[in-house]
Amino acid sequence: MRYWIWSLLLTVAALHPLQAADAISFEALLAEGGLEFRPPQGFHPVAVEADYVMPYEARYRSEDGELEIRYAIRPLNRIEIDYQDPHNAAPAPNDLFNMLFRTLSETLAVDHQVISRVFPPEKAREEYRAGWVAAGVFDLSPDISKEYREAMLFAIHQNDKADAYLLFLTNDLASEKTRIRKTRDSLRFRRYDHGINQPPGEEELKNLPMIPETPATESG
């Protein structure tokens, strides 16, 4: 199963997760993405259903039915980029995480309205062993679920490994803060290897080699 990035749509399109010929197990994706999973206490597994906005590989629901968690894993070596701008190089899979999080959360949300924040790097490493983590809250589009109205999406990324998502669905996020806090790191990386790519700082820029100027030619 490959995941394609389209330059015009700026989103990830995945093959239907239930297609037998292409389906990959949740356990296999965990291993491939360098992730570990701890089944959330007080939740039971629920059958995965087709979802063309955010295909997912595992689904858990609380015993009272008031909170559902969907898990999706995107190993970076499975992402293929369809990029046709002749003036710029195609972006690397390591550098797409923020754009993909924003596009996905806004697609899931009513009127594309999302309140989001990025974790400080040290918090991302401490909680998820990740190089980057973001969370967004929003009213859930009825196209995604007829049962739940509100959602919280966590996106985690580590270079050369995977992007992964935990989508919490409920009808009252405010009352579910405690259970979300206890289960939001049920999917995380097995170990932290390195951070995300960062633009060069001021001192690094000073030490970059200069491009030699081409001597001007005299006009004849």
Side-chain angles (χ1 to χ4, degrees):
M1 180 163 55
R2 308 296 295 185
Y3 301 96
W4 290 84
I5 305 296
W6 299 91
S7 57
L8 294 178
L9 296 179
L10 297 181
T11 189
V12 174
L15 293 179
H16 191 300
L18 300 182
Q19 288 177 313
D22 297 294
I24 301 174
S25 71
F26 184 55
E27 291 73 19
L29 288 172
L30 286 170
E32 189 173 333
L35 292 145
E36 65 180 20
F37 173 67
R38 295 170 297 157
Q41 293 186 354
F43 290 70
H44 61 272
V46 181
V48 171
E49 296 180 350
D51 188 327
Y52 291 94
V53 176
M54 193 187 98
Y56 58 95
E57 292 78 41
R59 180 183 180 194
Y60 281 74
R61 183 174 291 173
S62 62
E63 299 299 340
D64 60 10
E66 297 298 321
L67 183 62
E68 180 173 306
I69 315 172
R70 298 179 183 180
Y71 300 91
I73 301 173
R74 304 290 177 261
L76 297 186
N77 63 358
R78 291 183 176 272
I79 290 180
E80 296 183 3
I81 300 171
D82 181 11
Y83 192 81
Q84 301 175 2
D85 185 345
H87 304 292
N88 295 287
N94 275 336
D95 299 328
L96 293 168
F97 50 86
N98 188 46
M99 180 271 288
L100 293 177
F101 163 70
R102 292 186 179 280
T103 302
L104 177 58
S105 59
E106 290 173 5
T107 304
L108 293 167
V110 172
D111 297 329
H112 313 298
Q113 299 298 309
V114 179
I115 299 174
S116 63
R117 69 180 180 93
V118 175
F119 283 37
E122 62 275 10
K123 195 70 173 175
R125 180 172 182 174
E126 175 188 346
E127 289 197 31
Y128 295 94
R129 304 185 187 120
W132 177 90
V133 175
V137 296
F138 46 89
D139 291 331
L140 188 65
S141 169
D143 294 333
I144 307 302
S145 174
K146 303 299 183 185
E147 185 174 357
Y148 299 108
R149 300 188 305 271
E150 298 180 4
M152 187 169 192
L153 178 69
F154 289 87
I156 67 177
H157 166 90
Q158 188 171 160
N159 276 7
D160 303 324
K161 290 189 177 179
D163 293 321
Y165 304 93
L166 300 87
L167 179 63
F168 291 83
L169 307 178
T170 183
N171 286 313
D172 190 352
L173 280 172
S175 67
E176 294 293 349
K177 286 182 178 179
T178 299
R179 285 201 289 193
I180 291 174
R181 189 179 301 113
K182 289 181 178 179
T183 56
R184 72 183 190 183
D185 64 348
S186 50
L187 180 65
R188 61 180 183 174
F189 290 98
R190 289 197 300 268
R191 68 174 187 268
Y192 176 89
D193 288 330
H194 44 67
I196 61 174
N197 299 333
Q198 297 282 6
E202 186 175 339
E203 290 303 316
E204 292 177 284
L205 288 172
K206 290 179 181 178
N207 296 322
L208 290 177
M210 299 297 293
I211 300 175
E213 295 183 6
T214 304
T217 57
E218 295 183 3
S219 58

